[in-house]
Amino acid sequence: MPLLTTRPSPAMKICVGLSLVILVGLGSWQLDRLFWKQGLIEQRQAQALMTPIPVPTDTVVDPSLAFRAAYADGRYLNDQEKYLMARTRRGNVGFQLITPLEQEDGRIILVNRGWVPTENRDPETRPESLVEGKVHVTGVLRLPKTKHWAQPENDALTNQWFYVDVDHMAEDSGAELASPYYLELDDTPVAGGLPIGGQAKVELPNNHLEYAITWYSLALSLIVIFVVYHRRPAEDKDDQDHNGQAA
């Protein structure tokens, strides 16, 4: 069957061209995000697998130490627990338990010990988590946080914290900070099973390849539709002409 090629209108050319630019641009952006995310995951994994170092003290924050394996020794100030709210684990709502770790000089390092379900907020429901005496804990270094625009304000009076503000938390504990970092513990089992460590997101979701394929597929589909529409069988064109004349 012979094909009839029609010339697309200028308006259609502009619309299709702009749509292609947007779709291809979105696909390329997702590819850039893919490589960035892969690099970030590899960096975090490498940092977490290094030989642990002592939590740095009396220093300024070095961003390159994020997720670096580290350890600390000290004594938990269990009466100064902080609750990092609105944290989920496997679909269950709870919080992450941050406890000051007192050093020999009386200063503290903040330690994110892991996840606790909401029903165990009262320390009396998890007595084994109230560890006494000197402890040695391991995990990864985390950088101090700043408030995200969508996060509520921290409320020290009700002990509801929504981001880790090391300075404010130390002030609320009545102690001086020894380190600008905080330590997020690994998944080493603990007595009683709570808190559940290993909550640091070393592994990150990486769906950018699927997103890129989706955008590129839409761009290809648009090209195919555009070409097919303007190369219709001749009899279709004749039918349209006859229908127009009959009208």
Side-chain angles (χ1 to χ4, degrees):
M1 182 181 299
L3 296 177
L4 179 66
T5 302
T6 59
R7 296 174 63 88
S9 66
M12 181 173 288
K13 287 182 179 179
I14 292 173
C15 290
V16 172
L18 287 175
S19 298
L20 282 175
V21 169
I22 292 173
L23 292 172
V24 172
L26 288 171
S28 300
W29 175 63
Q30 288 296 337
L31 282 182
D32 288 339
R33 295 281 295 174
L34 169 67
F35 298 136
W36 168 79
K37 184 67 72 66
Q38 288 176 337
L40 181 61
I41 293 172
E42 291 171 359
Q43 179 185 17
R44 287 188 178 186
Q45 290 175 335
Q47 292 276 69
L49 293 174
M50 288 182 176
T51 302
I53 61 172
V55 174
T57 58
D58 301 312
T59 184
V60 296
V61 173
D62 180 356
S64 68
L65 290 180
F67 291 91
R68 178 71 164 82
Y71 68 87
D73 298 288
R75 182 179 67 88
Y76 281 133
L77 300 181
N78 293 306
D79 60 339
Q80 295 297 328
E81 289 183 346
K82 314 299 179 193
Y83 306 133
L84 194 59
M85 306 302 294
R87 297 302 191 269
T88 60
R89 181 178 182 271
R90 298 178 180 176
N92 298 309
V93 179
F95 61 93
Q96 291 180 4
L97 180 63
I98 296 180
T99 309
L101 188 69
E102 186 179 50
Q103 307 297 285
E104 291 184 354
D105 61 4
R107 298 186 300 168
I108 62 171
I109 294 171
L110 291 177
V111 177
N112 185 337
R113 300 174 61 190
W115 184 84
V116 177
T118 302
E119 57 267 26
N120 293 108
R121 173 165 174 156
D122 185 346
E124 292 184 359
T125 65
R126 44 179 172 82
E128 291 179 298
S129 70
L130 305 177
V131 181
E132 298 291 341
K134 191 171 182 179
V135 296
H136 173 83
V137 291
T138 57
V140 294
L141 293 177
R142 299 300 306 274
L143 307 183
K145 300 286 187 178
T146 56
K147 181 181 179 298
H148 186 271
W149 66 269
Q151 290 176 315
E153 293 289 346
N154 287 331
D155 188 348
L157 291 178
T158 60
N159 199 2
Q160 295 190 100
W161 305 82
F162 297 93
Y163 63 98
V164 181
D165 183 340
V166 293
D167 293 321
H168 191 187
M169 286 181 167
E171 179 183 354
D172 183 65
S173 300
E176 180 184 351
L177 270 177
S179 174
Y181 304 94
Y182 67 98
L183 184 66
E184 192 153 355
L185 298 193
D186 56 29
D187 57 0
T188 300
V190 297
L194 294 175
I196 301 174
Q199 302 303 310
K201 295 182 179 179
V202 176
E203 291 285 349
L204 298 171
N206 190 6
N207 301 316
H208 298 293
L209 179 59
E210 290 86 346
Y211 298 152
I213 291 173
T214 298
W215 290 120
Y216 286 141
S217 297
L218 289 173
L220 180 61
S221 299
L222 180 60
I223 293 173
V224 171
I225 293 171
F226 181 81
V227 171
V228 170
Y229 179 80
H230 291 93
R231 290 178 61 82
R232 289 170 293 172
E235 68 176 22
D236 288 352
K237 176 65 176 175
D238 292 340
D239 290 342
Q240 290 185 6
D241 292 342
H242 290 323
N243 290 336
Q245 292 174 2

